[in-house]
Amino acid sequence: MANGTTTTIPHDSGHDAEHDKPQRSFFRLVQRPQQGCHPVIDWLTTVDHKKIGIMYGAFALLFLLVGGVEALMIRAQLFLPENDFVTARLYNQLFTMHGTTMIFLAVMPLNAAFFNYMMILQIGARDVAFPRLNAFSLWSFVAGAVLINLSWFWEAFHGGWFGYAPLSTKDYNPGMGADFWILSLQILGVASLAASFNFITTILNMRAPGLKMMRMPVFTWMTLITSFLIILAFPAITIALVELMFDRHFGTHFFDATFGGKPILWQHLFWIFGHPEVYILILPAMGIVSEVLPTFSRKPLFGYPLIVMSGAFIGFLGFAVWSHHMFTVGLGVVATTAFSLMTMLIAIPTGVKIFNWIGTLWGGKIHFTTPMLYSLGFIWMFMMGGFTGIMHSSVPVDHQQQDSYFVVAHFHYVLIGGALFALFSGIYYWMPKMSGKLMNETWGKISFWIMFFGFNLAFFPMHLLGMAGMPRRTHTYLGDMGWNEWNMWSTAGAMILGVGIGSAVVQVVYTWAKGKKCGMDPWDARTLEWATANPPKDYNFARIPEINARDQVWANKYGKPEEKSGPGEPEPHGIHMPDRSWYPMSASFGLFMVGLGMVFHKQNFLGWDHTLEMVYIGGGILLLSIYLWALEGPRGYHVHPEED
């Protein structure tokens, strides 16, 4: 530990010989990892929010490439009319897994990576409120991601990322693909809920002295709002998935109309989750852009209170518009009119944000760095997606566009042009903080323009294809439909976009390994994460900073004398650092076995014909891990750093 001393002291007792002994895990068979353990064990058992954030990011980029390959195979199939590059069944599996992968395994964990790494630093905390629960969230995400991708070795689900029932019930989808999808989403839901409770507790209770709610960075605000959205939205999909699992395996008929079930129940439950999920994906992106624009405009964020309140308003209204996905179902005039009006209403807070971002740029000394270009690209393409979204609030227009390629273009402009460009802005902006190294500006700008050109070439023609009547999820088409030319351009654009994303990911890996080292504040930034070393030490801040202004780092450099502040008083007993733990990972492994056992219920798994034995074993591992986790305590050691 540089610039200080380290003392191993049990956190909750006197300094006696018994407590100084290394603690043992798994019935005293395995030693609890200590400082200086093997790097692999260190990463597997870490409870440090920064390492957990890095692992979220690494897994997310991996699955971004996996989802991208699936998308390119879809576009290759549609490159020519009557093409047979992939079979119809594989095509259905590809668009199902592509949607599921991009939403749950790429964009959400990329957001989680920044929540874990940056939000903690932005509020001046040392870690999240529950570090081992944080590790459990990570490994449960990995368990869910592995489980759903294992389905490729047996049978991947082919019912769309929305899994409409009764088409996903046993009668219409008899293989194991739907079971893989159901159980993996449940595990991913556990990971998201655990992380959200952790983030909310951390933000509300662990802010630095003086960091009032209306002094928090916008990205931290969006983390808080997104966490509440996850907690409120995921129970709906959890209930729907449990009911679907019971319909498939235990003889219930929640969605079977012939036995009194209601297929429309699935649509309501799914979209009560599904539409807020759009804001779960996009609000963090808005938070990133709200950090990048002021930094590279050399101005404070214009209309900070309005941007924060707009984010909260978007989150609230997100639960009131789910039925605009169901206009063609036939809900009746009153319901349809109400949801149409609410959908138009949600454009107001979104427009407020856009006008405030433009106000931030107006009159600023704009630096067109790579993070800035990605943020500007986000605004342009999110506006494009937003405009077409407003069109869908009109019921007659929605009836024409429903299930056409126009809808595919709309949500890709929102979620890829919007969320993904903002996330790459965050990667380029915060890479110096995470690695201590700057990404190459020239190659970064080249990647941006390749992605920008490729994205618009890929998805803008889909508006025209949709208006020409091309249905979404179609495996192939006849050559005389008038769709050939736009499909060729769209596929070419997708390939170019793939090159752009691939080159950006390569730059991330290269920078991490061999990038140029940078100083503590390479962007002349504003917020608190830039007040400590690059990368930060294990304890984040040698002394917890005191906050007198909204953008404290900027105020310390250029603010009024009364806004400036320094580090707080040193902690008399040093900084407590918790020990690593095996139990979060073993609990997640138990959860994985429960999911795998449920998928192979009454099936042969690698020569093992079992009913629920694997479920019992996995459940036992899960419960035992939680019990031992509760007994072991954080323990740990104290450090006495002199400076960051």
Side-chain angles (χ1 to χ4, degrees):
M1 191 65 63
N3 301 319
T5 59
T6 304
T7 310
T8 304
I9 300 175
H11 81 293
D12 56 356
S13 65
H15 188 182
D16 55 60
E18 181 63 26
H19 281 89
D20 281 349
K21 293 179 180 176
Q23 194 178 22
R24 305 190 78 80
S25 305
F26 299 114
F27 300 106
R28 304 179 67 81
L29 296 176
V30 179
Q31 182 174 313
R32 189 172 182 181
Q34 304 288 308
Q35 283 180 286
C37 62
H38 191 280
V40 174
I41 294 176
D42 179 35
W43 282 87
L44 292 177
T45 60
T46 186
V47 295
D48 183 344
H49 72 97
K50 298 180 287 296
K51 289 179 180 174
I52 290 172
I54 290 169
M55 285 193 282
Y56 264 118
F59 283 119
L61 289 178
L62 171 66
F63 287 115
L64 176 67
L65 296 179
V66 171
V69 170
E70 290 163 353
L72 293 179
M73 292 179 71
I74 293 169
R75 285 312 318 170
Q77 167 62 26
L78 297 175
F79 183 64
L80 295 171
E82 301 184 69
N83 199 1
D84 58 357
F85 176 67
V86 296
T87 63
R89 186 178 184 81
L90 178 57
Y91 182 87
N92 291 347
Q93 292 172 323
L94 284 169
F95 75 68
T96 300
M97 292 294 283
H98 166 69
T100 306
T101 300
M102 285 300 193
I103 291 170
F104 295 103
L105 308 186
V107 177
M108 280 188 76
L110 265 178
N111 288 336
F114 291 130
F115 293 169
N116 264 287
Y117 205 111
M118 297 304 158
M119 179 273 288
I120 315 300
L121 296 173
Q122 286 189 334
I123 65 171
R126 300 207 184 282
D127 208 320
V128 292
F130 311 113
R132 286 176 294 169
L133 185 64
N134 202 23
F136 173 74
S137 301
L138 168 71
W139 294 117
S140 296
F141 155 70
V142 174
V146 170
L147 183 62
I148 196 165
N149 280 284
L150 276 180
S151 65
W152 282 115
F153 294 99
W154 281 272
E155 179 187 12
F157 184 40
H158 50 85
W161 83 280
F162 38 79
Y164 281 150
L167 297 179
S168 51
T169 59
K170 209 79 172 177
D171 290 340
Y172 302 98
N173 219 310
M176 291 191 295
D179 299 317
F180 272 107
W181 184 76
I182 292 168
L183 271 301
S184 59
L185 288 195
Q186 294 286 45
I187 294 174
L188 291 168
V190 170
S192 297
L193 288 169
S196 297
F197 283 114
N198 213 347
F199 293 141
I200 291 172
T201 309
T202 303
I203 293 171
L204 296 183
N205 294 284
M206 298 177 66
R207 303 190 305 278
L211 185 57
K212 302 173 183 176
M213 294 296 283
M214 292 308 287
R215 285 178 177 172
M216 290 197 313
V218 173
F219 180 72
T220 298
W221 262 111
M222 296 304 115
T223 305
L224 182 65
I225 295 169
T226 302
S227 299
F228 275 112
L229 288 182
I230 288 173
I231 288 172
L232 296 172
F234 269 67
I237 187 68
T238 303
I239 292 168
L241 292 170
V242 168
E243 290 179 345
L244 180 57
M245 184 177 69
F246 270 72
D247 272 11
R248 289 182 59 84
H249 291 286
F250 302 110
T252 59
H253 303 284
F254 288 103
F255 306 112
D256 189 344
T258 57
F259 289 90
K262 293 184 181 299
I264 199 172
L265 174 63
W266 174 271
Q267 292 201 38
H268 278 300
L269 288 172
F270 182 83
W271 289 115
I272 286 173
F273 151 78
H275 198 78
E277 173 68 16
V278 174
Y279 302 114
I280 289 169
L281 300 175
I282 203 69
L283 283 176
M286 292 175 168
I288 293 170
V289 169
S290 299
E291 304 295 338
V292 171
L293 293 181
T295 298
F296 296 109
S297 300
R298 299 293 182 259
K299 280 180 64 187
L301 184 64
F302 182 80
Y304 167 89
L306 283 175
I307 286 188
V308 171
M309 292 301 113
S310 297
F313 201 47
I314 289 171
F316 175 75
L317 283 179
F319 285 97
V321 295
W322 80 88
S323 277
H324 73 210
H325 296 273
M326 301 164 59
F327 281 156
T328 53
V329 168
L331 297 175
V333 174
V334 174
T336 301
T337 304
F339 281 104
S340 174
L341 291 173
M342 295 300 286
T343 304
M344 294 177 188
L345 193 62
I346 207 167
I348 296 175
T350 308
V352 168
K353 280 182 177 287
I354 291 170
F355 279 116
N356 279 284
W357 289 328
I358 294 172
T360 303
L361 297 171
W362 191 272
K365 296 178 182 177
I366 297 175
H367 294 218
F368 289 100
T369 60
T370 305
M372 187 66 161
L373 288 178
Y374 275 105
S375 284
L376 295 174
F378 160 87
I379 294 174
W380 159 255
M381 286 182 282
F382 182 73
M383 284 175 62
M384 284 284 292
F387 290 147
T388 53
I390 294 172
M391 293 169 68
H392 294 149
S393 66
S394 169
V395 178
V397 174
D398 184 82
H399 272 255
Q400 294 297 314
Q401 296 169 352
Q402 177 77 15
D403 278 339
S404 75
Y405 254 85
F406 194 95
V407 178
V408 179
H410 156 68
F411 69 71
H412 277 88
Y413 264 90
V414 172
L415 292 183
I416 301 299
L420 200 60
F421 270 68
L423 286 166
F424 270 103
S425 176
I427 289 172
Y428 279 89
Y429 179 59
W430 279 316
M431 177 60 79
K433 174 53 57 184
M434 294 186 284
S435 67
K437 299 168 184 173
L438 273 171
M439 295 182 73
N440 185 286
E441 274 290 297
T442 303
W443 282 108
K445 290 175 180 174
I446 290 172
S447 293
F448 166 77
W449 286 113
I450 292 173
M451 286 174 62
F452 187 84
F453 176 73
F455 174 85
N456 283 288
L457 184 60
F459 292 104
F460 192 83
M462 291 185 188
H463 293 107
L464 306 175
L465 286 168
M467 293 175 73
M470 181 171 173
R472 63 193 295 194
R473 309 182 201 108
T474 186
H475 168 243
T476 189
Y477 51 92
L478 297 174
D480 58 357
M481 301 295 288
W483 303 337
N484 303 8
E485 186 178 353
W486 291 123
N487 269 306
M488 290 177 67
W489 282 116
S490 184
T491 301
M495 299 296 173
I496 295 170
L497 175 61
V499 171
I501 292 176
S503 67
V505 173
V506 169
Q507 287 174 58
V508 171
V509 176
Y510 179 83
T511 303
W512 205 277
K514 297 184 177 179
K516 180 182 176 183
K517 292 186 177 179
C518 62
M520 192 166 163
D521 185 12
W523 304 123
D524 194 15
R526 313 179 68 86
T527 44
L528 205 56
E529 72 269 29
W530 299 102
T532 187
N534 292 340
K537 301 289 194 307
D538 291 348
Y539 44 81
N540 291 349
F541 301 91
R543 300 181 186 182
I544 295 295
E546 294 180 352
I547 308 300
N548 292 327
R550 181 175 299 149
D551 295 332
Q552 190 60 62
V553 170
W554 182 266
N556 286 346
K557 293 181 288 189
Y558 308 108
K560 301 172 184 175
E562 64 271 20
E563 292 178 334
K564 297 185 178 183
S565 76
E569 295 297 319
E571 295 166 46
H573 302 293
I575 301 169
H576 174 248
M577 305 297 299
D579 273 341
R580 298 155 185 81
S581 175
W582 287 103
Y583 295 128
M585 194 169 73
S586 64
S588 301
F589 179 71
L591 198 58
F592 171 78
M593 284 195 68
V594 170
L596 194 62
M598 288 297 297
V599 170
F600 284 91
H601 176 222
K602 297 181 180 177
Q603 302 278 343
N604 182 287
F605 176 68
L606 303 179
W608 178 15
D609 290 314
H610 79 105
T611 51
L612 290 172
E613 292 91 338
M614 197 186 301
V615 176
Y616 297 144
I617 295 171
I621 294 173
L622 173 63
L623 293 175
L624 186 62
S625 298
I626 293 173
Y627 176 70
L628 295 174
W629 168 353
L631 292 182
E632 72 173 355
R635 286 179 66 95
Y637 55 94
H638 287 76
V639 295
H640 303 268
E642 296 168 2
E643 59 186 46
D644 292 323

